[in-house]
Amino acid sequence: MTMDPDRVATARAMLEHLGLTAADLTDSNRPAVPTVAEYLPAVVAAASPGTRRTYGSSWRRMAATLGDLRIDAVRASDLEALMRQAAAGARPRRNSRNGRHAGEHLIAAARAFYNRAIADGYLTVVDSPAHRVRKPRRLPNTRRALTPEELSDINAAARSGGNDIVLDALLLRLHTETACRRGGALALRLIDLDTDHALIRLSEKGGTQRWQPSPRCSPAD
């Protein structure tokens, strides 16, 4: 049977007027669909501290702009508009890419938001507007290693001022020898020092742990 386009358009207009979707008529087991603002606290509560720090500002932007919409009523074009706004309002830095990373970050946050909604049974991945927006293509990284002269200048500056120049120098030495992240240095405990074998146990991003050789962790030091 061929569908009449006019009747389909009329049915869609009626559903929109009633605040319903086709899924509401075919799947009675799904929970009532909340708005973006209503659902955000559940997303935040289920997120890890690192995820909240990473995506919190983008989630708040979504709630401020799209908060009154049901999560299944948000369109891909709504999120793409937010992505453009985030890119346009990004703070300029020496290594900025015209807001490209800010736009990519917002879409990543929106996908994390909708992944939680999918897991909770409010919609499927096919229904997710965030997964229908293409993330900006990531450009090659411009990071590079410090030259010996730059590293020497940094160490000299750390030793010439500050509240605790000894601690500053030790932290710089730790990062230089182990290439650990900031979180690895902050999580370091005395129990993580194996002076018998000159090793340091580093607990870093994603709950990973690794033993790293360090000559400064030897019994002689």
Side-chain angles (χ1 to χ4, degrees):
M1 179 179 178
T2 304
M3 290 188 297
D4 183 345
D6 292 335
R7 295 180 68 183
V8 171
T10 301
R12 285 176 174 169
M14 181 62 72
L15 287 172
E16 184 176 352
H17 177 71
L18 296 174
L20 299 173
T21 66
D24 293 327
L25 304 180
T26 58
D27 190 352
S28 59
N29 293 324
R30 284 190 181 178
V33 181
T35 65
V36 172
E38 290 170 344
Y39 189 56
L40 182 57
V43 175
V44 173
S48 67
T51 300
R52 289 196 293 268
R53 286 193 301 270
T54 301
Y55 295 143
S57 60
S58 294
W59 286 341
R60 288 190 294 272
R61 182 190 289 265
M62 287 175 59
T65 307
L66 309 172
D68 294 336
L69 293 177
R70 287 187 357 174
I71 60 176
D72 60 348
V74 176
R75 300 170 299 177
S77 56
D78 295 326
L79 295 176
E80 190 159 358
L82 278 182
M83 178 184 73
R84 306 295 179 197
Q85 293 172 15
R91 183 180 302 175
R93 293 187 175 93
R94 290 181 60 187
N95 63 343
S96 65
R97 304 289 186 90
N98 297 319
R100 193 182 193 96
H101 292 316
E104 178 187 357
H105 187 272
L106 187 132
I107 296 305
R111 290 184 180 180
F113 179 96
Y114 274 94
N115 282 338
R116 174 53 50 189
I118 292 167
D120 284 342
Y122 288 113
L123 69 171
T124 68
V125 69
V126 176
D127 303 319
S128 167
H131 292 79
R132 295 197 296 271
V133 179
R134 289 187 60 185
K135 292 171 68 174
R137 183 175 59 86
R138 181 165 293 188
L139 298 176
N141 201 318
T142 58
R143 291 180 179 178
R144 62 171 178 81
L146 294 171
T147 66
E149 293 76 14
E150 289 171 333
L151 187 58
S152 177
D153 289 343
I154 291 172
N155 278 274
R159 293 190 182 101
S160 63
N163 296 327
D164 192 334
I165 58 175
V166 175
L167 177 61
D168 292 342
L170 286 172
L171 283 171
L172 282 171
R173 189 69 185 181
L174 171 69
H175 288 291
T176 301
E177 291 183 354
T178 67
C180 69
R181 295 173 176 269
R182 177 179 59 182
L186 293 175
L188 196 61
R189 305 162 300 173
L190 286 175
I191 197 174
D192 297 320
L193 306 180
D194 183 348
T195 56
D196 292 334
H197 301 91
L199 296 172
I200 295 177
R201 179 170 55 192
L202 296 168
S203 302
E204 298 188 294
K205 188 176 181 180
T208 60
Q209 290 191 348
R210 62 185 172 97
W211 285 98
Q212 179 69 33
S214 176
R216 297 287 176 173
C217 190
S218 63
D221 293 328

